Amino acid sequence: MKTKKIICNLTLLLLLVSCSAKKPTMEININEFAREDLFDVNLKEEKKYEYEQELNIIDDNYRNYYEIFVGSFQDSNGDGMGDLQGIIQKLDYLQELGITGLWLMPINPSPSYHKYDITDYYDIDKAYGSLDDFKELLSEAKKRSINIIMDLVINHSSNSHPWFTAAVNALSKNDLTNKYISYYNFEKNPTKDKYYNYGMPTGWYYEGWFSSNMPDLNMDSEELLKEIQNIVKFWLEMGVSGFRIDAAMHIYRANNDKNNAFFKWFMDYAKTINENVYVVAEVWSDTNTVLEYYKSSMNSVFNYPFAGAGGYIGRTILSQEFTGNEYIEKLTEYKAKIKANNPEGIDAMFLSNHDNPRSANGFRQNIYTIKFAAATYLLTPGTPFIYYGEEIGMISSGSLDEDYRGPMYWDSDLTKLCKGPALMHEQEFFFPALSKQIKQNNSIYATYKRALRIRNENPEIARGTMTYIENKTDELGIYKITHEDSSVYIIQNFGYKPVSISKNDLGFTYDEVRGYLVATGENIVISKDKIVFPAFSTLILK
Ligand code: CA
């Protein structure tokens, strides 16, 4: 059998690696800030990667997503503003990285730079291009097996949306029959503290939770619900694969049951247009609340509890509040609770997004912790979301939202980049531009590309059920992921120095190595009886 032969060869290779490999010794200093000079030291050892497998990409909703703020990604026409044609120029790059899905932040017409206040749900903002550009992007992405989901901002519209201006105009004339009045929450005598109320000259007030520019929409309006269906139908029929739902828990404020009923209705309708639609919701809240929204039948809810330096990933890797063992147990429990609330639910892990300082800020600008943080969330079941620039360790300078949405650092020649939002502070770059990292075997970019490649080679990882495997070494997190009849085993050293484990203590046996990721560039040494893990390393077995 061909398969057997491969396994034998791999075993032989393993022994060879273990005989010649030096034992890892390096200890990581968490307070060591990795400037460009350290980055180069780290990259000196340019080893060839072993254990490359064949790609096995399955066309379903388990994908490797990449979030793009379009205005800061790639400019195609020289005006400094990123645009849809710019994304088309970078599709080959994204495919090469291993990306199989894109989340585009809002692209509909909007008066703001961020475009979360929409004035037309059926068009593309002129700064980004046209509907024809978008159709071309969908078609070019499809050629590369990349799905596109778009931000759907339906908690509120812009106060310049014609629906809102028509409603306000009608109210000012005391014409209460205008249908657009029902689209929003207008009140003459607002209850104190019930809403963020914005008064209007006519004596009416309206709800606008986020700002006066963003009047909340009223999902109790039958007319509006028909409009929502039209919007969903319009984009799904054009070829988008689904939506990222902005501010999902604010539709009916602090009423999870009503929100879930709304999203159940939403999903039921969306599935009549595309039965494979993919919807991921922003519920920026605690563990119980996030998990609650899986009951709606939406595919995914962003995994805020584990995200970033302040979530469980950072609390384990940085502050060591939890051991690797405890972390994996906690994560396994979280994933099981998703399935309890929705057997089809797909965890959506991420490190950071457009609303927070970039993850490399939180991970102390240390190259090893940044790489290991990537290895943790990218090798677990679900659909991970990478924020553009995260794959090269971009940081954000300043504390404005604009600073979190800076230009993608393609090249150290800043004239080749987008300008970024007008109010953005000047951005610093601790790690080299993509043009440099792409040539290096051990860069942050290489870690992301390798982790995504491992996902794309081993479909079990995204789709399988995670089982925690208890072990006696605190630093090691060990888990099994089983999909259909196949299991992969992942072992990670969350510690700052090398640790070893006897093969007898693994709790399982394996036939082959499927891959590895080592933040320090040292070797994982597999000998007859034991395995020695460098600090912040990951081994994938089968
Ligand atoms: Ca442009």
Side-chain angles (χ1 to χ4, degrees):
M1 288 279 293
K2 205 181 164 196
T3 332
K4 269 255 167 63
K5 196 176 166 209
I6 291 170
I7 292 170
C8 290
N9 285 343
L10 280 168
T11 312
L12 184 66
L13 193 56
L14 260 188
L15 288 171
L16 289 174
V17 166
S18 64
C19 291
S20 61
K22 277 193 293 185
K23 281 210 172 151
T25 54
M26 188 171 163
E27 274 192 45
I28 287 174
N29 175 1
I30 193 72
N31 296 316
E32 183 174 62
F33 273 39
R35 299 284 179 148
E36 203 156 328
D37 50 343
L38 181 61
F39 191 91
D40 282 336
V41 170
N42 181 264
L43 294 171
K44 265 187 186 154
E45 203 170 354
E46 295 280 334
K47 285 189 307 233
K48 190 175 174 296
Y49 181 82
E50 313 281 354
Y51 311 119
E52 185 144 301
Q53 323 286 339
E54 276 181 25
L55 284 174
N56 188 358
I57 298 175
I58 298 172
D59 180 17
D60 60 11
N61 278 330
Y62 292 89
R63 286 176 178 266
N64 304 327
Y65 268 94
Y66 189 89
E67 178 193 356
I68 295 179
F69 175 56
V70 179
S72 281
F73 194 59
Q74 169 74 3
D75 171 28
S76 71
N77 61 354
D79 63 1
M81 171 67 77
D83 45 50
L84 298 178
Q85 285 294 334
I87 300 175
I88 293 173
Q89 291 174 0
K90 294 297 181 183
L91 284 174
D92 287 340
Y93 163 74
L94 293 164
Q95 186 185 24
E96 179 70 17
L97 175 59
I99 296 301
T100 49
L102 299 181
W103 154 24
L104 304 186
M105 284 167 64
I107 54 176
N108 303 126
S110 161
S112 65
Y113 87 90
H114 53 72
K115 312 208 184 298
Y116 277 102
D117 46 343
I118 289 167
T119 52
D120 182 353
Y121 286 92
Y122 300 95
D123 203 353
I124 301 291
D125 194 289
K126 283 191 175 59
Y128 289 174
S130 66
L131 277 172
D132 282 341
D133 292 322
F134 187 59
K135 287 174 189 165
E136 189 183 339
L137 170 60
L138 288 168
S139 141
E140 289 300 315
K142 195 174 179 189
K143 284 181 198 165
R144 295 163 179 83
S145 304
I146 295 175
N147 281 0
I148 293 182
I149 62 171
M150 57 188 281
D151 230 306
L152 189 63
V153 189
I154 51 171
N155 174 68
H156 51 263
S157 75
S158 165
N159 64 340
S160 336
H161 194 293
W163 299 338
F164 189 73
T165 51
V168 169
N169 197 27
L171 285 175
S172 71
K173 292 175 187 155
N174 251 335
D175 167 17
L176 301 185
T177 62
N178 188 294
K179 77 167 184 176
Y180 295 112
I181 295 172
S182 77
Y183 280 33
Y184 299 91
N185 297 314
F186 290 105
E187 286 192 51
K188 264 238 149 114
N189 299 301
T191 319
K192 199 170 184 293
D193 299 331
K194 187 180 174 190
Y195 299 127
Y196 278 21
N197 287 290
Y198 294 97
M200 298 188 301
T202 51
W204 289 87
Y205 291 79
Y206 65 94
E207 181 188 19
W209 176 260
F210 289 98
S211 95
S212 60
N213 298 331
M214 297 176 171
D216 276 52
L217 288 163
N218 170 27
M219 292 304 172
D220 287 335
S221 161
E222 291 294 328
E223 295 282 353
L224 177 62
L225 291 181
K226 275 185 231 157
E227 196 86 57
I228 299 289
Q229 289 184 331
N230 285 338
I231 294 165
V232 166
K233 185 168 190 274
F234 180 81
W235 294 105
L236 286 180
E237 284 183 345
M238 193 175 293
V240 305
S241 299
F243 305 97
R244 176 264 184 188
I245 308 285
D246 183 58
M249 66 189 288
H250 295 280
I251 301 279
Y252 291 99
R253 189 142 312 111
N255 192 330
N256 298 342
D257 292 340
K258 280 188 89 170
N259 284 330
N260 275 344
F262 169 75
F263 286 115
K264 173 79 171 58
W265 168 86
F266 181 96
M267 291 302 294
D268 287 348
Y269 176 75
K271 282 176 183 168
T272 66
I273 310 299
N274 176 359
E275 60 177 345
N276 299 315
V277 66
Y278 176 72
V279 172
V280 54
E282 178 204 24
V283 176
W284 191 349
S285 191
D286 58 89
T287 301
N288 287 340
T289 310
V290 170
L291 289 169
E292 187 66 21
Y293 279 78
Y294 276 97
K295 293 178 180 168
S296 68
S297 83
M298 286 188 288
N299 308 78
S300 296
V301 186
F302 283 115
N303 185 335
Y304 276 91
F306 282 76
Y312 289 121
I313 296 174
R315 289 165 70 185
T316 304
I317 298 176
L318 296 175
S319 54
Q320 304 226 297
E321 195 179 323
F322 305 101
T323 64
N325 228 331
E326 289 165 342
Y327 170 84
I328 293 301
E329 189 176 18
K330 199 177 274 295
L331 183 61
T332 305
E333 196 184 318
Y334 182 91
K335 305 228 184 213
K337 284 180 179 169
I338 291 176
K339 297 292 181 190
N341 284 353
N342 175 5
E344 306 294 316
I346 299 172
D347 193 12
M349 293 189 84
F350 65 104
L351 290 180
S352 61
N353 63 25
H354 60 282
D355 283 325
N356 303 92
R358 284 179 167 276
S359 63
N361 288 41
F363 285 93
R364 312 268 187 106
Q365 297 146 8
N366 179 305
I367 187 170
Y368 308 116
T369 39
I370 290 168
K371 286 158 92 175
F372 189 61
T376 56
Y377 88 104
L378 291 176
L379 293 174
T380 69
T383 283
F385 282 77
I386 296 167
Y387 187 44
Y388 77 98
E390 217 156 41
E391 76 274 30
I392 53 172
M394 270 175 65
I395 62 162
S396 46
S397 317
S399 54
L400 301 177
D401 281 351
E402 285 86 341
D403 298 323
Y404 312 150
R405 303 165 189 178
M408 174 67 185
Y409 192 35
W410 300 107
D411 197 283
S412 56
D413 176 355
L414 301 187
T415 65
K416 291 182 180 170
L417 312 183
C418 295
K419 283 183 188 146
L423 295 180
M424 180 188 79
H425 292 99
E426 191 180 333
Q427 295 295 300
E428 291 177 276
F429 301 100
F430 273 75
F431 299 113
L434 176 82
S435 55
K436 182 170 179 186
Q437 291 198 35
I438 207 162
K439 295 174 192 151
Q440 295 168 317
N441 285 345
N442 205 18
S443 58
I444 297 169
Y445 168 81
T447 298
Y448 271 85
K449 187 177 172 186
R450 175 54 52 197
L452 294 173
R453 171 90 196 187
I454 290 169
R455 286 185 80 83
N456 288 335
E457 289 170 348
N458 300 280
E460 299 94 335
I461 294 176
R463 294 159 188 83
T465 301
M466 182 170 175
T467 311
Y468 161 67
I469 298 177
E470 200 177 347
N471 81 92
K472 291 176 197 143
T473 312
D474 281 348
E475 293 86 350
L476 292 182
I478 307 182
Y479 54 104
K480 175 170 84 164
I481 309 176
T482 306
H483 176 58
E484 294 170 350
D485 292 331
S486 180
S487 293
V488 294
Y489 299 88
I490 298 183
I491 310 174
Q492 295 186 306
N493 179 9
F494 286 76
Y496 291 16
K497 55 188 180 196
V499 294
S500 67
I501 184 166
S502 156
K503 283 188 178 173
N504 289 332
D505 293 336
L506 280 179
F508 62 90
T509 57
Y510 64 92
D511 293 325
E512 55 169 323
V513 175
R514 296 292 289 183
Y516 58 86
L517 289 169
V518 185
T520 60
E522 292 182 296
N523 293 309
I524 293 174
V525 180
I526 304 173
S527 56
K528 200 173 158 223
D529 304 325
K530 64 175 183 178
I531 308 176
V532 185
F533 291 90
F536 294 152
S537 60
T538 303
L539 181 63
I540 300 99
L541 303 167
K542 190 168 175 173

